[in-house]
Structure formats: structure tokens, C-alpha cells
Amino acid sequence: MRYEVVQVLSGTYPARELYAAHHCPELIPTRCRDVAGGPIEQFEAGAVHHLRLDRKSSTRTLTDAFSDKSLPRYVVGCANLSQSSEPVG
């Protein structure tokens, strides 16, 4: 999935776009227990998510619909839906 970066809460990320793979987008992603926001019940364009990301492992096979983009890839460890469109920090 392609995300627009609204705010980085931990670490650094210089780009405005981020490419991250969810384990199975058809299923509800694992909720982050210690991060603000509620469970994601479905993916909707424009929704604000709080994500905990891991760098893509070269041993995993992922479908990449954005293979023409040169930004690094991440795997979503857990995700929450923001309670509003405002970032939490």
C-alpha cells in the first residue's frame, strides 16, 4: 500500500510517501496495543493510520504494485485507525 506520511512519531523518514506491505489486506490487521487509535475494520482511501513498521526482509516474497518507485519497502507489524484526521504526537 502507498501511504502519505503525515507525521513520524519515532525515528526518521525524509520522504512524503511510504510503501508498506500488510500481511493480508483482506483481513483485519493486528492492532497496536500501545499506540493511539482503534482497530482498522476496512481500508479506506484518506483514512489516517498509525503504523509500526519493520524493514522489508529480503527473504519474504511480497507483491509490489509500486515496483517502479525507488523508496524503501516496509512490512506493517501492527496498525491502528486514528480517531480523527489529526495526527497524534
Side-chain angles (χ1 to χ4, degrees):
M1 298 185 120
R2 182 185 70 82
Y3 284 94
E4 176 185 351
V5 176
V6 176
Q7 182 179 15
V8 177
L9 300 177
S10 177
T12 60
Y13 189 77
R16 295 297 300 160
E17 288 185 332
L18 182 138
Y19 297 93
H22 287 269
H23 292 287
C24 184
E26 292 81 19
L27 300 176
I28 297 172
T30 302
R31 184 172 180 207
C32 300
R33 296 191 206 310
D34 59 339
V35 178
I40 297 173
E41 296 177 5
Q42 64 182 9
F43 289 101
E44 294 182 25
V48 176
H49 295 161
H50 298 276
L51 304 173
R52 180 165 294 127
L53 302 170
D54 298 314
R55 283 295 299 231
K56 177 189 171 289
S57 168
S58 61
T59 61
R60 298 174 101 162
T61 302
L62 302 173
T63 301
D64 190 345
F66 304 99
S67 59
D68 61 325
K69 308 297 182 195
S70 63
L71 291 171
R73 301 303 195 255
Y74 296 88
V75 175
V76 176
C78 59
N80 290 359
L81 180 64
S82 176
Q83 299 300 338
S84 70
S85 60
E86 295 297 316
V88 175

